[in-house]
Amino acid sequence: MLVRTRRADDPQPSEITPRLLHEHRRSVLKAAAAGLAAWSASTIVDAAAATGESSGSPGATRLQARTSALSTMERPTPYKDVVGYNNFYEFGTDKDDPAAYAGSLRVRPWTVTVEGEVARPRVFDIDELLRLAPLEERIYRLRCVEGWSMVIPWIGYSFAELMKRVEPTAKARYVEFVTLADAGQMPGLRSSVLAWPYVEGLRIDEAAHPLTLLTLGLYGEVLPKQNGAPVRIIVPWKYGFKSGKSLVRIRFVEKQPQTSWNLAAPQEYGFYSNVNPQVNHPRWSQATERRIGEDGFLQRKRPTLMFNGYADQVASLYAGMDLRKAF
Ligand code: MTE
């Protein structure tokens, strides 16, 4: 087992791009000039410009967002990899299938129904969700259970913002995230590789944690279809599959939801699925990861960090639990 220290998570000086800092300063000046007084205390970034990456979707709607202290300082994975190497089984199981086939996904009109154990059940239109709370850019690592990772400048706001609006009742102990299942738009539904719709779940305190991001964009633009347009969840301390794409229904429930991956292979994919280098997947190690975009013969794998580097923020959620059993 690898010995990990806090140092492993520290950014290398080379990982902080001078361009990023420069662009942040420029954005502040631009925002001030535009008279955005309420935002003046924080920087406003256009992530794509800030990282020097050009967007691959020329027609995409741009989003402006504040920077967030919850971001990692690691260098973001190149845009082309973020939108070209995906898991979205509704469009096929190969990594390049979502980019090739998700064009058929219709993202307008789009609503998300929030229901169950809430005092104020509501149907949110996607444009309402885009305005519900100030957008933040959160640069998070996405660590897939398959052993690869990326660093992605997501855009959204804490899921807790939405929770405030619907007021979960005392009976709400879990949240179920249900994603679109429409065979007319999603060719992958012909395969029975998973039970459709794709369903994921969180305990209510996990959902309410400020790190849990209701995600509407990445790299300064609205979410590309292959990344789960128009709205998904991102839970950065859990394996990527907990982050359901193209959400249509969010249900607050009393009992632990049955999730698609847990149903497909219960011995391999548990409900919690926290990134944990000490608990291996039954068929492979989880101790290290390959950073997408850094491939090469001599490229060394990186050590995987407990809770994907967010142990200080989230370990207390699991105090007293045996994470080998609650995997
Ligand atoms: N959501 C849906 N609806 N369908 C999927 O197949 N795959 C999951 C997750 N969300 C998946 C999904 C998995 S396994 C991963 S690793 C991440 O999405 C990948 O997100 P990305 O393609 O944006 O990197």
Side-chain angles (χ1 to χ4, degrees):
M1 189 61 61
L2 286 157
V3 179
R4 284 162 309 283
T5 64
R6 291 286 307 146
R7 210 168 279 273
D9 195 27
D10 289 342
Q12 299 298 310
S14 61
E15 287 175 332
I16 306 167
T17 61
R19 172 98 192 255
L20 187 74
L21 301 174
H22 172 69
E23 290 291 345
H24 282 195
R25 271 196 299 275
R26 260 190 25 193
S27 302
V28 177
L29 293 175
K30 265 200 311 206
L36 295 171
W39 285 20
S40 61
S42 59
T43 41
I44 297 176
V45 290
D46 177 321
T51 53
E53 286 283 338
S54 65
S55 158
S57 342
T61 305
R62 313 292 306 169
L63 294 174
Q64 285 222 312
R66 309 167 173 196
T67 53
S68 166
L70 298 172
S71 290
T72 167
M73 291 301 284
E74 286 176 281
R75 185 197 298 277
T77 301
Y79 179 88
K80 68 171 175 34
D81 295 315
V82 171
V83 301
Y85 188 92
N86 301 102
N87 276 335
F88 200 169
Y89 279 22
E90 288 86 334
F91 295 101
T93 54
D94 286 343
K95 294 289 178 277
D96 49 5
D97 283 344
Y101 303 119
S104 53
L105 179 64
R106 289 190 300 276
V107 296
R108 283 288 193 294
W110 190 281
T111 58
V112 179
T113 302
V114 184
E115 61 187 16
E117 291 297 340
V118 287
R120 297 173 179 274
R122 254 173 85 175
V123 178
F124 291 93
D125 185 80
I126 188 63
D127 290 316
E128 218 179 325
L129 286 179
L130 277 159
R131 290 190 306 265
L132 197 75
L135 295 175
E136 289 176 32
E137 183 189 75
R138 303 257 190 102
I139 307 177
Y140 286 162
R141 276 184 294 274
L142 182 130
R143 167 60 160 86
C144 181
V145 73
E146 293 163 342
W148 51 265
S149 63
M150 297 198 201
V151 178
I152 302 177
W154 301 107
I155 294 177
Y157 44 80
S158 296
F159 181 69
E161 292 288 344
L162 183 138
M163 287 176 66
K164 273 196 274 183
R165 269 80 173 176
V166 297
E167 298 173 22
T169 69
K171 280 188 175 167
R173 295 184 55 223
Y174 294 92
V175 189
E176 185 179 62
F177 297 91
V178 184
T179 83
L180 183 72
D182 178 353
Q185 301 179 56
M186 300 173 137
L189 263 55
R190 284 196 290 267
S191 150
S192 54
V193 61
L194 287 174
W196 311 112
Y198 191 102
V199 174
E200 261 309 333
L202 296 174
R203 221 172 51 192
I204 190 111
D205 55 343
E206 298 176 322
H209 194 283
L211 282 170
T212 300
L213 190 72
L214 193 72
T215 306
L216 296 142
L218 58 77
Y219 261 121
E221 65 182 39
V222 294
L223 273 181
K225 292 180 178 179
Q226 57 269 41
N227 294 89
V231 57
R232 70 182 294 181
I233 199 84
I234 291 289
V235 194
W237 70 94
K238 293 179 180 273
Y239 291 117
F241 67 88
K242 297 298 287 181
S243 298
K245 296 176 164 185
S246 305
L247 297 173
V248 290
R249 197 173 291 278
I250 298 172
R251 222 177 261 141
F252 289 78
V253 293
E254 211 172 341
K255 294 210 179 85
Q256 185 174 301
Q258 290 209 304
T259 64
S260 293
W261 281 103
N262 187 233
L263 281 171
Q267 66 291 355
E268 301 194 7
Y269 308 107
F271 178 79
Y272 284 94
S273 296
N274 293 316
V275 173
N276 188 341
Q278 290 152 23
V279 177
N280 289 333
H281 182 276
R283 288 183 283 140
W284 58 83
S285 162
Q286 295 292 358
T288 60
E289 65 202 52
R290 180 173 65 92
R291 182 64 50 83
I292 299 297
E294 290 183 347
D295 314 303
F297 186 60
L298 295 173
Q299 190 59 50
R300 289 180 61 190
K301 288 192 170 182
R302 293 170 177 252
T304 286
L305 303 172
M306 188 66 200
F307 297 115
N308 207 15
Y310 293 102
D312 288 351
Q313 289 90 346
V314 301
S316 60
L317 295 176
Y318 310 102
M321 286 174 66
D322 180 349
L323 297 182
R324 288 188 181 276
K325 291 197 181 119
F327 63 90

